[in-house]
C-alpha cells in the first residue's frame, strides 16, 4: 500500500468533517467495514457454487450519530461536493434518486423492509480507502458499514450473515446490480488471517487459515474501469440462468454448482447456444477448482493452489469473457516471473485487479517487472498492494 493514514488519523479527519457539516461532533461514533479480495471462485456465487474470499484491512469508515428528527444525511470525504445529501425516513423509495448515496440509503430501505424501520433519522460522514472501481468491493463495504451503523445506533439485533444478506438485497433491488452474496459476506464475516470458504448454495462456511510461509498475496490494480461493468455482469448472470433452465430439462439440479465437470460434459449438449455453454462451463469448472484449491491450501500445497488460480484466469478470460486486455497483461506477465506461484483476475471483472501469490524474495522483482512491462504496453502506472487479511466490521473507539 501507499502510505495510508492511520486509523486514528482517519477518525480525527472524520470527526472534524462531521463537526464542520453538522454543527458539532457531540456523541458521534466511528465505524469501519472492510473491502475484500477473492482468492478463487469467481462468478460462482450466483450459481450455487463455492467462493474463497478474504476481508482486507482497507475499507470504508464512518462517523455517525442519530438525529432527533426524520432527516437522514450523508456526506463522503471521497466525493467532490461540499455539502451533504439529505433524505427523510419516510421517503426511501428508489424512484428519482441517484448517486453513491443510493448504497447506504438502499440499506436503510432494506432494514425497513425487514421490519427495522428507523424511529428517527441519522447523519453520517464516510471515508473509504479502497481504490474506486478496483473490484475490491468498495460498494459492499459501504453497504455492510451502513448496516453495522444502523445496528449499533438503533440497537437492532442483526447478525453478520443477515448484514450480508441485507447488503446484497439492497444492491440487487435498490441499485439494480444483480450481484451474488460473496462481497457482502466477506466484508461482514471477515476474520483476520483467514479466508472464508463459503458454499453459496446454503451459506454454510468455514474459515481457512491462510498460511503462506515465505509468500505474500499481492494485489495489482490495472486502474482500468470499464463502463459496462454492471450490464456485462447482469448479462453473464442471465446467460447462466438460461443455461441452467436448459440443463434442468435433462438433469435434476437446482444450480450449476450442483454439477461436477464430468457430469457437465455428459449433459452440456442440452445448452443450445455455444456461447452460453462456455459460460456454464466456467461456472461448473470454477466451482470444482475452488473446492480443490481449498484442499491444496489445507495440505500446504501452494504450488497447486497457484496453478488453479492460473486456470481460473484462463477460464474467466476465454470462457466467461470478463477479463480485458490490460488485466490479461498483468496476469500473463506475472506467470513469467520466477517466484510467482499464481495470478488471476479477481472480482467481477471488466477491469480492476489481479491477485497473485508471490515468494517474499520475488515481491520487489514482481513489482518492478510488472510496472515496467505494463507501462510500456498500456501507458498506465499499475498499483500494488501487499495484502493483510483483516476482520469484519467494528466500532472504532
Ligand atoms: C462481483 C459480485 C460478486 C461476485 C463477483 C464475481 O464482485 O458482487 O457477487 O459475483 O463479482 O465472482
Amino acid at each position: 500500500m501507499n502510505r495510508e493514514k492511520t486509523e486514528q488519523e482517519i477518525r480525527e479527519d472524520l470527526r472534524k468533517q462531521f463537526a464542520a457539516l453538522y454543527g458539532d461532533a457531540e456523541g458521534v461514533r466511528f465505524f469501519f467495514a472492510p473491502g475484500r479480495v477473492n482468492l478463487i471462485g469467481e462468478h460462482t456465487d450466483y450459481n450455487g457454487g463455492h467462493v474463497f474470499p478474504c476481508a482486507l484491512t482497507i475499507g470504508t469508515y464512518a462517523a455517525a450519530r442519530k438525529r432527533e428528527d426524520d432527516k437522514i444525511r450523508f456526506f463522503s470525504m471521497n466525493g467532490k461536493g461540499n455539502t451533504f445529501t439529505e433524505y427523510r425516513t419516510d421517503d426511501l423509495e428508489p424512484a428519482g434518486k441517484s448517486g453513491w448515496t443510493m448504497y447506504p440509503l438502499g440499506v436503510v430501505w432494506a432494514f425497513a423492509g425487514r421490519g427495522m424501520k428507523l424511529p428517527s433519522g441519522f447523519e453520517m460522514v464516510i471515508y473509504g480507502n479502497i481504490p474506486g472501481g478496483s473490484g475490491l468491493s468498495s460498494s459492499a463495504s459501504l453497504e455492510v458499514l451502513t448496516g453495522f451503523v444502523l445496528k449499533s445506533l438503533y440497537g437492532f439485533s442483526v447478525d453478520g450473515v443477515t448484514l450480508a444478506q441485507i447488503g446484497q438485497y439492497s444492491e440487487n433491488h435498490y441499485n439494480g446490480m444483480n450481484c451474488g452474496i460473496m462481497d457482502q459476506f466477506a466484508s461482514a464475516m471477515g476474520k483476520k488471517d483467514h479466508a472464508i470458504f463459503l458454499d453459496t448454495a446454503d451459506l454454510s462456511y468455514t474459515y481457512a487459515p491462510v498460511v503462506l510461509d515465505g509468500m505474500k498475496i499481492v494485489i495489482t490494480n490495472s486502474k482500468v474501469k470499464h463502463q459496462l461493468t454492471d450490464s456485462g455482469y447482469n448479462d453473464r448472470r442471465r446467460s447462466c440462468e438460461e443455461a441452467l433452465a436448459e440443463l434442468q430439462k435433462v438433469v435434476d439440479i437446482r444450480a450449476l454448482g450442483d454439477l461436477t465437470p464430468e457430469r457437465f460434459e455428459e449433459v452440456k449438449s442440452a445448452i443450445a447456444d455455444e456461447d452460453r455453454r462456455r459460460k456454464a462451463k466456467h461456472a461448473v469448472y470454477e466451482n470444482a477448482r475452488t473446492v480443490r484449491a481449498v484442499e491444496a491450501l489445507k495440505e500446504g500445497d501452494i504450488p497447486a493452489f497457484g496453478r488453479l488460480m492460473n486456470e481460473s484466469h484462463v477460464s474467466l478470460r476465454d470462457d466467461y469473457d470478463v477479463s480485458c486486455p490490460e488485466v490479461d497483461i498483468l496476469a500473463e506477465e506475472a506467470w513469467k516471473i520466477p517466484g510467482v506461484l499464481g495470478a488471476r483476475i479477481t472480482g467481477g471483472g471488466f477491469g480492476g485487479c489481479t491477485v497473485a501469490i508471490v515468494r517474499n524474495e520475488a515481491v520487489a522483482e514482481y513489482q518492478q517487472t510488472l510496472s515496467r512491462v505494463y507501462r510500456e504496453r498500456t501507458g498506465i502506472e499499475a498499483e500494488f498492494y501487499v495484502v493483510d487479511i483483516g476482520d469484519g466490521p467494528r466500532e472504532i473507539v
Side-chain angles (χ1 to χ4, degrees), residues 3-17 30-32 57 61-63 77 127 129 394-397:
R3 150 80 172 103
E4 292 288 339
K5 291 195 172 197
T6 66
E7 194 155 283
Q8 285 307 315
E9 285 168 343
I10 293 173
R11 187 180 187 279
E12 185 51 20
D13 288 352
L14 283 166
R15 199 191 58 75
K16 283 192 191 135
Q17 183 66 68
F30 301 88
F31 303 91
F32 170 79
T57 52
Y61 292 83
M77 292 179 62
Y127 169 76
N129 56 5
R394 60 199 155 79
E395 180 162 5
I396 300 163
V397 286

Side-chain angles (χ1 to χ4, degrees), residues 99-100 102-103 106 143 169-177 230:
W100 71 268
M102 294 285 282
Y103 289 104
E143 290 155 4
Y169 184 86
S170 70
E171 186 150 345
N172 291 172
H173 299 281
Y174 206 80
N175 290 284
M177 165 71 173
D230 287 12

Side-chain angles (χ1 to χ4, degrees), residues 259-293:
L259 286 177
T260 61
E262 296 71 30
R263 189 75 182 116
F264 175 76
E265 293 301 328
E266 287 163 11
V267 296
K268 68 181 181 189
S269 58
I271 306 170
D273 177 69
E274 147 69 17
D275 181 67
R276 217 160 39 238
R277 208 176 305 137
R278 282 192 293 117
K279 302 285 187 289
K281 176 184 167 207
H282 167 78
V284 171
Y285 279 70
E286 179 76 355
N287 183 40
R289 269 191 291 275
T290 306
V291 174
R292 286 219 312 279

Side-chain angles (χ1 to χ4, degrees), residues 4-253:
E4 292 288 339
K5 291 195 172 197
T6 66
E7 194 155 283
Q8 285 307 315
E9 285 168 343
I10 293 173
R11 187 180 187 279
E12 185 51 20
D13 288 352
L14 283 166
R15 199 191 58 75
K16 283 192 191 135
Q17 183 66 68
F18 191 96
L21 274 174
Y22 304 130
D24 62 67
E26 205 61 37
V28 64
R29 292 165 68 182
F30 301 88
F31 303 91
F32 170 79
R36 65 95 188 90
V37 63
N38 188 22
L39 300 179
I40 193 162
E42 218 66 82
H43 291 276
T44 46
D45 65 345
Y46 50 85
N47 285 309
H50 294 79
V51 292
F52 196 48
C54 46
L56 298 170
T57 52
I58 54 174
T60 313
Y61 292 83
R65 174 174 73 185
K66 273 200 284 194
R67 291 179 57 88
E68 299 291 322
D69 60 16
D70 65 348
K71 295 189 170 102
I72 299 174
R73 292 175 169 174
F74 297 121
F75 180 82
S76 167
M77 292 179 62
N78 299 89
K80 294 195 184 74
N82 53 12
T83 187
F84 50 80
T85 305
E86 185 171 285
Y87 300 101
R88 308 185 90 91
T89 50
D90 62 359
D91 176 24
L92 299 176
E93 289 306 316
K97 301 187 175 70
S98 63
W100 71 268
T101 55
M102 294 285 282
Y103 289 104
L105 197 66
V107 172
V108 176
W109 169 85
F111 264 70
R114 286 188 176 230
M116 294 179 282
K117 195 172 175 322
L118 301 192
S120 67
F122 68 101
E123 49 207 359
M124 180 153 124
V125 174
I126 67 146
Y127 169 76
N129 56 5
I130 301 173
S134 59
L136 301 177
S137 293
S138 54
S139 44
S141 81
L142 177 53
E143 290 155 4
V144 169
L145 175 73
T146 306
F148 195 77
V149 165
L150 298 183
K151 165 191 158 108
S152 308
L153 293 187
Y154 298 94
F156 294 128
S157 152
V158 188
D159 63 14
V161 174
T162 309
L163 275 185
Q165 287 172 319
I166 290 176
Q168 183 203 13
Y169 184 86
S170 70
E171 186 150 345
N172 291 172
H173 299 281
Y174 206 80
N175 290 284
M177 165 71 173
N178 223 354
C179 63
I181 190 133
M182 169 171 72
D183 304 347
Q184 292 81 4
F185 201 97
S187 178
M189 299 295 290
K191 181 170 170 180
K192 187 171 164 45
D193 297 332
H194 290 72
I196 309 172
F197 184 41
L198 170 67
D199 183 350
T200 62
D202 58 7
L203 296 191
S204 58
Y205 64 95
T206 51
Y207 289 108
V210 178
V211 182
L212 298 172
D213 280 336
M215 297 162 230
K216 296 265 187 293
I217 299 171
V218 184
I219 294 173
T220 307
N221 189 353
S222 70
K223 303 234 215 81
V224 174
K225 198 176 155 185
H226 283 275
Q227 285 304 314
L228 296 174
T229 308
D230 287 12
S231 57
Y233 184 93
N234 290 345
D235 285 350
R236 297 298 178 285
R237 185 162 182 166
R238 202 169 322 109
S239 294
C240 287
E241 282 162 4
E242 285 167 14
L244 174 65
E246 288 169 289
L247 288 168
Q248 282 171 328
K249 292 185 187 141
V250 297
V251 54
D252 182 21
I253 51 170

